[in-house]
Amino acid sequence: MNITIRQLKVFQKVAILQSFTRASKALYLTQPAVSMQIKQLEEAVGLKLFDKQGRQISLTDAGDEIRLLSDSVLQQIDETQHQLEQIASGDRGKLRLAVATTVASVATRLMARFNEQHPAMSLHFTVTNRNGLIQLLENNEIDIVIMGLPPAELELDTQELMANPLVIIAPPTHPLCDLDRPVSLNTLFKQDFILREPGSGTRLAIERFLNTQGRTLQSSIEMNSNDAIKQSVAEGLGLGIVSVHTVTNELRQGTLKLIDASGFPLHRSWYLVQRKGKRLSLLSERFKSYVVEQAKLISPGIDSS
Ligand code: PGA
């Protein structure tokens, strides 16, 4: 069936108004132009679409079918046009965001608020460790990443967002909490630690710090989840070194405490990262600006200078 959208539009108007004259006025066309469109449509369909009794017209059975078709096609065109307008204005589109595990709770808060202003966006959100993020960037599978220390080996556009201090957490009754002066590294590193897995940016930062101090940890348990580390520390399995952003609730509630030790907190930052030259949708650009603006308002809760 070789029919055009223009024919469907003219047909729909004639069917609604039940008059060639009224349809031609509504469409700002001459009546012969309307008749021509209907004639061509009938030729394409191979059947009459209107019955004429005097000045009255009504739809034939074939006309009823074409009415269903025109209503649904023209409605879809309207909807698509609306969606394209929203994409062009940055109100609609896909937001493909991946963040380091330490960023997850801050990022979900930001996304929820951004989504309130952009309810038509579709969100693809990945939480993984540093190695996972590097893989996504390498494979060009992600638009925006928020992570600590961007990898030097990839060509990236990066923008520093905010401080991400790494702190030592302990159960509140631990003897190294609440001392008058910072705990020495000698004392600290005699403790048992629960560390993040290799491939984690948190782990990398700790290893770099240990290297600069010429030290190793005496014993360590590995876990690939900040939540599991927090719970294990609270249960007394060992001390943890985690992003302060992952323990804000526990510190407020007093279920975990910080240990003040020389050299700590370890100063890290989060960065907004994307592949160099990657073209982002207007929606993704808006999200980036929103994150940059909001990051200024989020305090890490401890002195990170
Ligand atoms: P990660 O996150 O330990 O989950 O890799 C570290 C970071 O980049 O903040």
Side-chain angles (χ1 to χ4, degrees):
M1 212 172 22
N2 195 6
I3 62 181
T4 67
I5 290 167
R6 185 172 161 77
Q7 287 165 359
L8 289 180
K9 274 190 180 156
V10 172
F11 166 82
Q12 190 193 47
K13 203 50 107 187
V14 175
I16 289 170
L17 299 175
Q18 297 183 334
S19 154
F20 281 62
T21 313
R22 286 196 290 270
S24 62
K25 280 192 185 134
L27 294 167
Y28 303 103
L29 295 172
T30 62
Q31 192 171 332
V34 169
S35 301
M36 178 59 74
Q37 291 294 321
I38 299 298
K39 185 166 167 270
Q40 286 170 352
L41 181 58
E42 287 179 332
E43 277 168 12
V45 171
L47 291 165
K48 281 271 166 218
L49 300 176
F50 292 100
D51 269 338
K52 289 188 186 138
Q53 282 125 14
R55 305 187 70 191
Q56 277 294 99
I57 60 166
S58 59
L59 289 173
T60 62
D61 287 348
D64 282 337
E65 293 303 323
I66 297 296
R67 175 75 200 267
L68 288 176
L69 176 72
S70 64
D71 285 355
S72 112
V73 167
L74 296 176
Q75 186 186 341
Q76 277 188 41
I77 289 176
D78 270 359
E79 279 167 14
T80 304
Q81 187 170 354
H82 177 61
Q83 286 166 359
L84 293 177
E85 281 162 10
Q86 284 188 318
I87 290 171
S89 66
D91 289 333
R92 175 180 288 272
K94 273 198 206 85
L95 180 60
R96 274 179 292 249
L97 173 69
V99 302
T101 64
T102 55
V103 189
S105 64
V106 170
T108 44
R109 269 206 317 274
L110 292 178
M111 281 180 326
R113 285 188 214 140
F114 186 76
N115 187 52
E116 282 167 16
Q117 297 156 18
H118 301 82
M121 80 167 175
S122 92
L123 179 66
H124 300 251
F125 183 54
T126 308
V127 179
T128 182
N129 70 10
R130 183 171 194 272
N131 270 9
L133 295 173
I134 293 174
Q135 199 103 55
L136 288 171
L137 284 164
E138 250 169 16
N139 298 345
N140 206 3
E141 284 170 327
I142 198 75
D143 293 334
I144 304 172
V145 166
I146 305 177
M147 68 189 300
L149 199 64
E153 65 274 19
L154 292 180
E155 289 219 355
L156 302 170
D157 282 328
T158 63
Q159 185 173 359
E160 190 167 351
L161 264 189
M162 60 189 285
N164 174 34
L166 299 188
V167 292
I168 305 163
I169 51 167
T173 52
H174 196 281
L176 295 183
C177 293
D178 299 323
L179 299 182
D180 297 341
R181 62 175 76 163
V183 175
S184 72
L185 292 184
N186 275 340
T187 308
L188 183 72
F189 289 128
K190 286 191 187 117
Q191 309 296 310
D192 289 340
F193 275 87
I194 309 168
L195 290 183
R196 286 286 306 278
E197 76 289 2
S200 136
T202 308
R203 169 73 173 255
L204 183 66
I206 297 166
E207 282 173 351
R208 285 185 179 173
F209 174 71
L210 290 170
N211 272 343
T212 63
Q213 303 297 316
R215 290 169 190 274
T216 49
L217 290 180
Q218 92 160 10
S219 81
S220 62
I221 303 168
E222 274 178 19
M223 295 186 185
N224 66 357
S225 140
N226 298 312
D227 281 343
I229 292 180
K230 288 191 299 191
Q231 282 155 21
S232 307
V233 169
E235 294 295 335
L237 195 59
L239 302 181
I241 303 175
V242 295
S243 159
V244 76
H245 294 286
T246 64
V247 286
T248 42
N249 287 340
E250 290 76 6
L251 295 178
R252 204 178 306 126
Q253 289 156 6
T255 51
L256 289 173
K257 274 196 171 176
L258 299 185
I259 290 181
D260 183 12
S262 34
F264 281 85
L266 301 184
H267 298 300
R268 300 195 78 215
S269 293
W270 283 333
Y271 295 80
L272 204 46
V273 178
Q274 70 183 75
R275 291 274 302 236
K276 213 175 202 54
K278 186 166 183 81
R279 260 182 82 97
L280 296 183
S281 65
L282 196 51
L283 182 89
S284 301
E285 290 290 0
R286 271 204 194 161
F287 181 72
K288 270 175 61 180
S289 309
Y290 177 77
V291 169
V292 170
E293 185 189 300
Q294 292 297 311
K296 293 183 200 139
L297 310 175
I298 299 172
S299 141
I302 59 163
D303 178 16
S304 59
S305 55

